[in-house]
Every structure is written in structure tokens, then in C-alpha cells.
Amino acid sequence: MHSPERVFEDRTPGVEEHEPTASYLSYSVGLGLAILATIASFIVAQTNLLWAPGIPVGLIVLGLAQIGVHLVFFLHLGSGPDSTNNILALAFGVLIVFLVIAGSVWIIANLNSNMVLMPQ
Amino acid sequence: MTMTTTLDRTLTAVPTELAHGRGGGGPAPKRIVVAYGFWIFILSDMIMFSALFAAYAVLSGNNAGGPTAPELFNLRNIFISTMCLLLSSYTCGIGVLSAERRQPTHFLVFAIFTFVLGAAFLFIEATEFAGMVAKGAGPSRSAFLSSFFTLVGTHGVHVACGLVALVYLVAQARVHGLRPAVLRRLLCWSLFWHALDIVWVGVFTLVYLMGGH
């Protein structure tokens, strides 16, 4: 006795169903946005368009925006059911990356400011 | 196929296409499972890069009286290599899309574009490294330069490995045709290549733009 799913599963072995998530248009939109973000980063870094102390913040914001563009338009991380597991894994990866980078910078900056210079 | 779907819908409460890989609708297609496994590998690679980024962020000021970042970096070259890598990411995506649509000639053309752009990126980086070493600013000069060469060099090694893998995959596609197993490998390779571009966004922002002016 077959289960109903097996009886009606009539897909040919080796042929995989998949819905096309990508298209030429989505890649081209992604490329356009990424180029804009890159050019904006180089302009911000080399001109006085932004208030000088705000330049690092502006660069970080543009970098994060570009990473978001890459994730959505090139890696096709969307809100669909096929992306759920990938998004969860990415969230965990982002947490670890943040802890490693921010934690190192914070701890070493603290150590540096507490460092007493040895007498020469 | 339409009949399958309607019958499945009447038999189970959860629509099949929504529940693949999450219990109700049976296992996810192999393509999704394989890409998920490779995604885990990419995230572990990202965590390794995060350690190198952290080392650079901590050590970038310690130049031991040696050359500093603004004296060494040529932002015009960096802009050109950034554009090469970005365009190669684009041609890689289009190439894999053509492969999935069973267009071998399109795939070959875009794979060649991807390879040439990736190789141009590596060439610019190698020239930059050689110029820095010739100026006495090699990795042994200061902690800043050690962490710089480790971070940017590790990314460069990844790009070089990606180029070798691309040649291997194009050969597979020529010999075996664009069958499902080859398409899955190509999909994984494209994930790797896009991920390298994401790492490069971090590199040019943190290393070259925030340190180079």
C-alpha cells in the first residue's frame, strides 16, 4: 500500500522542480545599485561632501547598503520559504561576525587606554 | 503536475510548495539542500574573515614608524579592481542563469568574462603587493602591514581558488553537459563568488577608504 504522496508524486527522477528566483532584470538592478553604492563610497572618502568626522559612519552605512544589495539581488535571499533556513543561518553568522569584530576592537581599545608606558 | 498539486492540497492541510523542507510537504529539492550546506560553509568562511578584519581593525594604527595607509594606497587602482570584481560577480550570476536555462554557449561566454575580470582583479592586486614590497613595505615591516597582507592576501587566495574552480566547472559542463549535478556545483560556485564580492565590500570600505585618506 502506497501513501497518497507517493502515488501522486509523478516527477521524473533526476528532474528537479525549481521556481526561477533569479532573472536578468534582478541581476541588472543589483549591479546598478552596487555600482552606485561603490561610486558613492569613493566620492565620500575623497571629498568633503560629508562633514569630516561623519565620513567613517557614512562609509559604513554605504558598505552595509551594498552588502544588502548583494544578498538580495545576487544571492537571492528573499522572504520565500526556500530562503528561511538560509536567513536564519545568516543571522547567526552576522551575530558571530559582529561579536568577533566589535568585541576585539572594544577590548583592545580598552587595554590600550589602560596601558602604562614603561620607563625608557 | 497540476493534478499532483491539487490532490496534495486536498490530502494535506499545508500547501506543498510552502512546506518543502519544513515538515509537511516532504524533503526540500536537492538543489535547495545542497545550496544550504554550501551556505553554511560560506558563513564559516565569513567568520574566519571576521577574525582577520578584527586583527586589521586593532592593528591598523601600529605602523612602527613605517609607511602609513595614505602613503601606500592608490585609490584609483582600487576603484578599478573593485569594478572588475563587481562586474565579474554580475557576469557570474548571468552565466549561471544561462546554464540553468540550458544555454551552453551563453554560459561559456559569461564564464570567460567572469574569469577574465577575476584575473584582472588578481593582477591589479598582485601588482599592488609587489610595488609595496619593493618600497620596503612588506608584511614584516609593521603590525599594520602584517594584518593588511593577511586580510587582503587571504581574500586574493580565495579569488585565485575560485578561478581554478571555475575552469574545472566549465570543463565539467563541456564534458558532461549541463546536467543537474553540474548545475548544483555551478550554483554553489556562484554563491562562493558572490560571497567573495561581499567580503571585498568590507575590505575596500574598511582598509582602503577609511584608512586611505
Side-chain angles (χ1 to χ4, degrees):
Chain A
M1 193 64 192
H2 291 292
S3 66
E5 288 81 12
R6 279 193 181 282
V7 173
F8 300 118
E9 185 68 68
D10 58 355
R11 202 189 311 142
T12 319
V15 175
E16 297 185 0
E17 55 161 336
H18 75 263
E19 64 284 14
T21 48
S23 69
Y24 294 115
L25 181 66
S26 83
Y27 278 113
S28 304
V29 169
L31 179 72
L33 290 174
I35 287 181
L36 281 181
T38 306
I39 292 178
S41 299
F42 276 81
I43 289 177
V44 163
Q46 288 172 289
T47 61
N48 290 323
L49 204 61
L50 285 189
W51 178 58
I55 287 179
V57 179
L59 289 174
I60 289 173
V61 169
L62 283 168
L64 289 179
Q66 191 173 351
I67 288 174
V69 167
H70 282 241
L71 287 175
V72 172
F73 291 98
F74 290 170
L75 288 161
H76 312 297
L77 283 178
S79 51
D82 284 344
S83 294
T84 317
N85 291 330
N86 299 42
I87 297 265
L88 282 174
L90 175 68
F92 182 66
V94 168
L95 172 71
I96 302 292
V97 166
F98 174 77
L99 287 180
V100 169
I101 296 180
S104 304
V105 170
W106 184 18
I107 290 170
I108 300 293
N110 214 304
L111 286 176
N112 270 344
S113 65
N114 286 330
M115 186 88 111
V116 180
L117 282 177
M118 298 293 285
Q120 296 292 320
Chain B
M1 202 58 210
T2 39
M3 194 181 170
T4 308
T5 323
T6 43
L7 283 174
D8 272 355
R9 273 207 184 125
T10 56
L11 289 169
T12 54
V14 186
T16 318
E17 60 275 343
L18 289 181
H20 269 319
R22 292 200 290 156
K30 196 165 183 183
R31 179 178 175 275
I32 304 289
V33 177
V34 167
Y36 179 62
F38 201 79
W39 184 235
I40 300 290
F41 158 70
I42 287 176
L43 289 173
S44 70
D45 218 31
M46 292 285 170
I47 289 169
M48 185 201 71
F49 271 110
S50 79
L52 299 178
F53 272 111
Y56 181 82
V58 164
L59 296 171
S60 58
N62 303 359
N63 48 25
T68 56
E71 298 163 25
L72 291 170
F73 300 151
N74 177 346
L75 286 188
R76 197 177 58 89
N77 282 354
I78 298 304
F79 183 73
I80 295 171
S81 66
T82 301
M83 282 298 153
C84 285
L85 202 62
L86 183 57
L87 284 174
S88 88
S89 214
Y90 175 71
T91 56
C92 145
I94 299 290
V96 173
L97 201 57
S98 328
E100 283 181 348
R101 294 179 179 181
R102 305 294 195 285
Q103 299 165 323
T105 320
H106 281 69
F107 164 66
L108 185 64
V109 169
F110 283 110
I112 291 173
F113 274 130
T114 309
F115 186 90
V116 169
L117 287 164
F121 170 84
L122 270 188
F123 176 76
I124 295 173
E125 187 167 298
T127 320
E128 188 204 6
F129 279 11
M132 285 172 68
V133 172
K135 275 192 277 186
S140 55
R141 179 63 188 83
S142 63
F144 153 60
L145 285 165
S146 303
S147 57
F148 167 82
F149 276 94
T150 313
L151 172 60
V152 184
T154 307
H155 179 268
V157 169
H158 275 74
V159 174
C161 292
L163 289 181
V164 173
L166 175 63
V167 173
Y168 178 61
L169 285 174
V170 168
Q172 276 195 352
R174 299 309 280 177
V175 173
H176 299 304
L178 294 170
R179 62 187 192 192
V182 175
L183 286 180
R184 283 198 297 271
R185 284 168 209 150
L186 273 175
L187 178 71
C188 289
W189 184 82
S190 75
L191 293 181
F192 180 74
W193 200 248
H194 293 316
L196 280 187
D197 208 16
I198 289 183
V199 173
W200 184 251
V201 171
V203 171
F204 82 72
T205 302
L206 178 76
V207 176
Y208 291 106
L209 295 182
M210 286 170 75
H213 65 87

